[in-house]
């Protein structure tokens, strides 16, 4: 393989001069630079990225770990990657399919210095296992976590969920079904607390969280539409775990002959593209900005050039699935 000594021999300069030209580090006269660049082109020289990484102690590569690809995760990956690329980072996506071993394999890449940091969107292992890897580089998560060494870009969903519930109540809804993602997660627990507070405030009878748990996908939303069709006493509204669930529910309900919001109301969560396409009322909490904040947090741990994360909040986006 061609190396700097070969380039130096053809250009008639020292290896140190070649290094300064290739790394753009230090003064080299215009004529000498032209000689080196001509030799580089003639030999078709490409720097060894692994050798450079070892020398500098950084790969300029960040990993994203996710269980799968959903509409929301696509937004997170896209915006994190764009933010990272602007600062010269390469981003590699690792899909775990909820397999803890696959997640550990990705974390091991940071221990072996193949990654500088990791954006862990949704975990598969317990937090204590993941925390043990933070000594090898920064880990930032999209999930809510109480950890002294893992940063999170979460926004407490209590306020956002309550915003949607209040909108439904103001529109006359009194029998509201909540479709939860995973009642073990801290964000979902915040949603449950918001619903319990809401029911107490308006003297409503809450339903058990376990009745509608692990509802995450478009297909899950479609199943809820069929469940609705089989109920003699029907609810007048649904608060959903995501826009994807809301989209499945709304689309299938329309195929079954229901009209929204005349027959019942639906509110999504995320304000991703599918909610706009289907005119679904939703809660916006800046998914794209959360992804950008995640990169900023990792960057600030790796670089002297600090970036300021944005403060984010919830916004109710009213469309045609509520009155």
């Amino acid at each position: 393989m061609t190396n700097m000594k070969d380039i130096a021999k053809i250009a008639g300069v020292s290896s140190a001069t070649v290094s300064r030209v290739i790394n753009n580090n230090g003064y080299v006269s215009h004529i000498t630079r032209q000689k080196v660049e001509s030799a580089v082109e003639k030999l078709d020289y490409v720097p060894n990225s692994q050798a450079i990484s070892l020398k500098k102690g950084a790969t300029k590569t960040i990993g994203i770990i996710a269980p799968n690809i959903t509409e929301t995760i696509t937004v997170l990956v896209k915006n994190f990657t764009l933010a990272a690329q602007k600062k010269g980072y390469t981003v590699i996506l690792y899909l775990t399919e909820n397999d803890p071993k696959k997640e550990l394999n990705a974390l091991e890449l940071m221990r072996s210095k193949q990654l500088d940091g990791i954006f862990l969107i949704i975990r598969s292992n317990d937090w204590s296992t993941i925390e043990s890897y933070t000594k090898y580089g920064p880990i930032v998560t999209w999930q809510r976590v109480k950890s002294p060494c893992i940063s999170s870009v979460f926004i407490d969903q209590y306020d956002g969920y309550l915003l949607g519930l209040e909108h439904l109540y103001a529109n006359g809804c009194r029998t509201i079904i909540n479709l939860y993602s995973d009642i073990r997660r801290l964000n979902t627990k915040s949603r449950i607390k918001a619903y319990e507070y809401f029911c107490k405030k308006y003297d409503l009878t809450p339903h058990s969280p376990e009745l509608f748990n692990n509802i995450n996908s478009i297909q899950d939303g479609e199943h809820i539409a069929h469940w609705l069709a089989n109920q003699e006493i029907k609810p007048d509204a649904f608060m959903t775990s995501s826009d994807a669930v809301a989209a499945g529910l709304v689309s299938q309900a329309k195929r079954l002959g229901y009209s929204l919001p005349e027959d019942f109301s639906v509110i999504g969560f995320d304000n991703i593209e599918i909610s706009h396409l289907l005119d679904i009322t939703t809660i916006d909490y800046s998914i794209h900005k959360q992804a950008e904040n995640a990169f900023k947090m990792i960057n600030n741990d790796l670089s002297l050039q600090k970036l300021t994360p944005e403060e984010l909040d919830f916004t109710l986006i009213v469309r045609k699935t509520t009155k």
Side-chain angles (χ1 to χ4, degrees):
M1 292 179 64
T2 301
N3 57 41
M4 289 190 185
K5 289 183 179 180
D6 299 322
I7 297 170
K9 184 176 181 180
I10 290 178
V13 298
S14 68
S15 295
T17 299
V18 174
S19 177
R20 286 198 293 273
V21 173
I22 290 174
N23 294 304
N24 196 26
N25 181 23
Y27 173 77
V28 178
S29 71
H30 179 67
I31 294 175
T32 301
R33 182 177 295 275
Q34 282 185 324
K35 289 180 180 179
V36 173
E37 290 175 348
S38 177
V40 167
E41 185 176 354
K42 182 177 181 179
L43 295 173
D44 194 23
Y45 172 75
V46 178
N48 186 319
S49 59
Q50 289 185 334
I52 293 171
S53 296
L54 287 171
K55 184 177 180 181
K56 294 184 176 180
T59 66
K60 294 293 284 186
T61 303
I62 299 172
I64 298 179
I65 301 177
N68 47 44
I69 290 294
T70 65
E71 291 81 0
T72 301
I73 288 176
T74 298
V75 175
L76 288 165
V77 171
K78 173 185 175 182
N79 287 278
F80 182 94
T81 301
L82 290 174
Q85 287 176 343
K86 288 179 181 178
K87 294 298 181 181
Y89 286 89
T90 297
V91 176
I92 300 176
L93 174 62
Y94 300 92
L95 297 179
T96 67
E97 299 178 291
N98 293 303
D99 183 343
K101 290 184 179 179
K102 288 183 178 180
E103 183 177 88
L104 287 176
N105 289 339
L107 289 166
E108 282 291 324
L109 293 175
M110 191 164 67
R111 186 159 79 104
S112 61
K113 305 301 182 184
Q114 297 179 63
L115 298 173
D116 294 340
I118 287 175
F119 179 28
L120 177 61
I121 294 180
I122 298 175
R123 70 185 171 99
S124 298
N125 287 278
D126 60 85
W127 286 118
S128 60
T129 298
I130 296 167
E131 284 176 340
S132 67
Y133 285 88
T134 57
K135 59 178 170 285
Y136 307 115
I139 298 176
V140 174
T141 182
W142 184 52
Q143 292 183 277
R144 183 176 179 179
V145 58
K146 296 177 180 178
S147 170
C149 50
I150 297 176
S151 300
S152 174
V153 291
F154 89 96
I155 310 176
D156 191 342
Q157 295 187 6
Y158 182 99
D159 295 332
Y161 208 70
L162 190 58
L163 189 64
L165 291 169
E166 291 285 2
H167 174 66
L168 291 173
Y169 189 87
N171 287 320
C173 299
R174 298 295 182 268
T175 308
I176 302 169
I177 297 295
N178 299 268
L179 306 179
Y180 295 118
S181 173
D182 184 343
I183 60 175
R184 297 171 301 174
R185 294 178 181 167
L186 293 178
N187 270 335
T188 304
K189 289 180 179 180
S190 287
R191 295 185 183 198
I192 293 170
K193 287 181 179 179
Y195 174 59
E196 291 173 344
Y197 165 80
F198 170 79
C199 288
K200 185 176 181 180
K201 177 180 177 180
Y202 293 111
D203 195 26
L204 302 175
T205 302
H207 68 74
S208 171
E210 285 83 2
L211 293 176
F212 302 96
N213 183 30
N214 288 322
I215 299 173
N216 299 291
S217 66
I218 289 176
Q219 292 73 25
D220 292 337
E222 291 175 339
H223 293 155
I224 292 298
H226 288 290
W227 171 86
L228 173 70
N230 292 323
Q231 304 305 305
E232 290 186 12
I233 301 175
K234 302 185 188 303
D236 51 23
F238 290 88
M239 278 290 298
T240 68
S241 57
S242 69
D243 285 340
V245 172
L249 170 56
V250 168
S251 299
Q252 188 61 37
K254 288 181 178 179
R255 287 192 285 268
L256 293 172
Y258 290 96
S259 297
L260 281 77
E262 291 78 15
D263 293 325
F264 62 92
S265 296
V266 174
I267 295 183
F269 213 96
D270 291 341
N271 193 29
I272 59 175
E273 187 66 20
I274 197 170
S275 67
H276 172 71
L277 293 173
L278 296 179
D279 262 333
I280 297 172
T281 297
T282 187
I283 306 297
D284 183 292
Y285 67 125
S286 302
I287 293 289
H288 65 291
K289 292 292 184 182
Q290 290 180 59
E292 291 171 7
N293 280 350
F295 169 70
K296 290 176 180 178
M297 290 177 180
I298 291 176
N299 173 83
N300 291 352
D301 203 302
L302 298 173
S303 172
L304 295 176
Q305 184 182 3
K306 305 303 180 185
L307 304 172
T308 304
E310 292 189 40
E311 291 189 14
L312 306 177
D313 206 349
F314 297 95
T315 304
L316 175 69
I317 309 295
V318 179
R319 298 191 179 112
K320 294 184 178 180
T321 58
T322 58
K323 298 176 183 177

